[in-house]
Amino acid sequence: MNASRLDDFLALSRANPHSLAPFSETLPDGGQIQVWDTGVVCIEPTAPANKDLVLSCGIHGNETAPIELCARLLGDIVSGRLVCRQRLLLIFGHPAAMNLGVREVEENLNRLFSGAHAKGEPQTMERQRAARLEQYVTRFFQGRDGTERLHYDLHTAIRPSEYEQFAIYPFTHGAPYHKGQLAFLCDSGVDTILLAHGPTTTFSYFSAHGFGAHAFTVELGKVHAFGENDASRVAKLEHNLARLLQAPDWQPPPLDPARIRVFKVCQEIIKQSEGFCFHFSDAVANFTEFSPGALLAEDGDQQWTVGDKPEAVIFPNPGVAPQQRAALMVVTAELSADMLC
Ligand code: ZN
């Protein structure tokens, strides 16, 4: 086969970080690979199976392990080593931030979905990108009806975590949690699940709420620079994603509830002013637990304390702007049979 412009789509996207004119090529197995924009590529198999999968990474530009994972999967599809039998929309979220080695250029892209990009000024680079990514996901899911829709939005965290790999299950508005998806995540090494407590403006909630997709924000460990990730740490997920794409009949082993750890949000700590401070170290790992009654944070007259059950902290960040979330507090939760489907 001739050299393809898609041999290194990530490099092509990073060389054209703001936009890339659409083009398409034929895959070795006869399927179509369509470039829709920088970082956005759609694979249309000749006879697609029953799932439509959005796989996104690099929504935060410096979260390189998932970017490298997706680049390997795409490389295998382009070369023909992996025959993709499901429709796939693969997204490298923020090439401009990748080039600068930063999480974001002007603001957090993963707070701008479900229309949040259109509210308020200024029109930042991330707002323009969120609007376009919404259009692409809409176009992809609307391309077909009656299929199982999936979206895994892959991230890594700023800080270490007591549980290295965890997924955030977007708010379901009361709908039950999907056993097959929890089984897939657990079998992929993502054995800690955080149940969100309300609507958000994240990419995964956009696909879940807008398109009925089984969608998750998946955290795969700690941030490292390009080339410094240990691929073996994400090998289980990578292997299962490849199976999902090439073997339509494959299913993970059934969910064993004893193998997953489930948390739910019990309080949000919202920074009120520049006087805000935590009463624990900045270096604390995600899911670090605090005892009932412990003082967590203070801001002027306001104090946040642990309730009557132990609480663990996630995503603490005292540097956010006032009125933004400085941390989430979570408690362990049970998934009873009536909460699952
Ligand atoms: Zn992230």
Side-chain angles (χ1 to χ4, degrees):
M1 202 177 99
N2 293 329
S4 157
R5 288 182 72 196
L6 286 160
D7 282 343
D8 192 342
F9 179 64
L10 175 58
L12 180 66
S13 294
R14 292 183 63 184
N16 299 273
H18 302 294
S19 69
L20 188 59
F23 65 94
S24 67
E25 294 185 5
T26 302
L27 289 165
D29 65 287
Q32 279 287 305
I33 180 162
Q34 305 168 353
V35 169
W36 288 1
D37 196 351
T38 182
V40 182
V41 67
C42 177
I43 286 139
E44 294 278 2
T46 43
N50 62 333
K51 293 179 173 66
D52 290 344
L53 169 64
V54 177
L55 192 58
S56 54
C57 64
I59 291 295
H60 296 132
N62 62 349
E63 298 179 357
T64 56
I67 298 169
E68 291 176 347
L69 184 163
C70 289
R72 287 191 294 271
L73 276 181
L74 183 60
D76 283 351
I77 292 169
V78 170
S79 71
R81 283 189 296 273
L82 193 167
V83 176
C84 185
R85 301 192 189 281
Q86 310 283 4
R87 291 180 74 233
L88 170 67
L89 183 67
L90 200 144
I91 296 173
F92 297 99
H94 200 338
M98 287 176 210
N99 287 346
L100 296 169
V102 295
R103 179 179 163 84
E104 63 211 37
V105 176
E106 293 171 273
E107 61 181 321
N108 183 352
L109 178 53
N110 207 24
R111 293 286 179 279
L112 293 172
F113 292 93
S114 298
H117 55 81
K119 292 182 186 131
E121 293 290 329
Q123 189 51 255
T124 61
M125 182 186 297
E126 280 86 5
R127 281 166 193 253
Q128 294 171 32
R129 185 67 171 163
R132 273 153 57 194
L133 293 182
E134 283 188 356
Q135 287 168 18
Y136 300 138
V137 168
T138 302
R139 172 175 159 192
F140 178 72
F141 281 137
Q142 288 182 345
R144 208 159 64 132
D145 277 328
T147 58
E148 184 172 57
R149 292 172 171 172
L150 304 169
H151 182 177
Y152 303 117
D153 183 34
L154 309 181
H155 290 252
T156 53
I158 299 169
R159 59 187 59 242
S161 178
E162 293 286 320
Y163 310 120
E164 189 183 63
Q165 302 194 354
F166 62 98
I168 301 170
Y169 206 131
F171 186 54
T172 65
H173 296 262
Y177 301 100
H178 194 266
K179 266 189 275 194
Q181 287 300 309
L182 296 173
F184 173 81
L185 290 167
C186 187
D187 191 58
S188 304
V190 183
D191 56 3
T192 299
I193 307 291
L194 171 60
L195 307 176
H197 62 309
T200 56
T201 49
T202 61
F203 204 10
S204 63
Y205 177 81
F206 171 73
S207 291
H209 187 60
F211 300 97
H214 298 302
F216 299 89
T217 305
V218 184
E219 296 281 352
L220 293 171
K222 196 169 175 314
V223 163
H224 295 286
F226 276 115
E228 291 175 12
N229 295 293
D230 175 0
S232 71
R233 300 192 94 104
V234 295
K236 278 187 178 174
L237 176 64
E238 188 166 342
H239 183 63
N240 277 355
L241 288 169
R243 286 204 276 201
L244 193 65
L245 292 173
Q246 68 188 344
D249 295 330
W250 173 76
Q251 289 193 325
L255 178 68
D256 174 0
R259 281 186 59 206
I260 57 167
R261 221 176 266 114
V262 182
F263 291 90
K264 63 178 183 186
V265 175
C266 61
Q267 59 172 326
E268 265 188 298
I269 298 180
I270 308 290
K271 178 172 173 174
Q272 303 297 317
S273 74
E274 291 304 336
F276 179 89
C277 70
F278 282 124
H279 278 252
F280 49 79
S281 151
D282 264 14
V284 64
N286 278 328
F287 293 103
T288 296
E289 193 176 274
F290 295 90
S291 304
L295 178 61
L296 297 165
E298 248 179 316
D299 196 346
D301 295 343
Q302 194 165 355
Q303 292 191 331
W304 289 265
T305 56
V306 176
D308 51 15
K309 287 209 298 188
E311 294 178 13
V313 67
I314 306 186
F315 307 130
N317 183 359
V320 296
Q323 310 315 318
Q324 298 281 309
R325 186 183 80 199
L328 271 182
M329 301 307 296
V330 301
V331 290
T332 53
E334 292 281 319
L335 279 180
S336 54
D338 62 326
M339 295 165 72
L340 293 166
C341 70

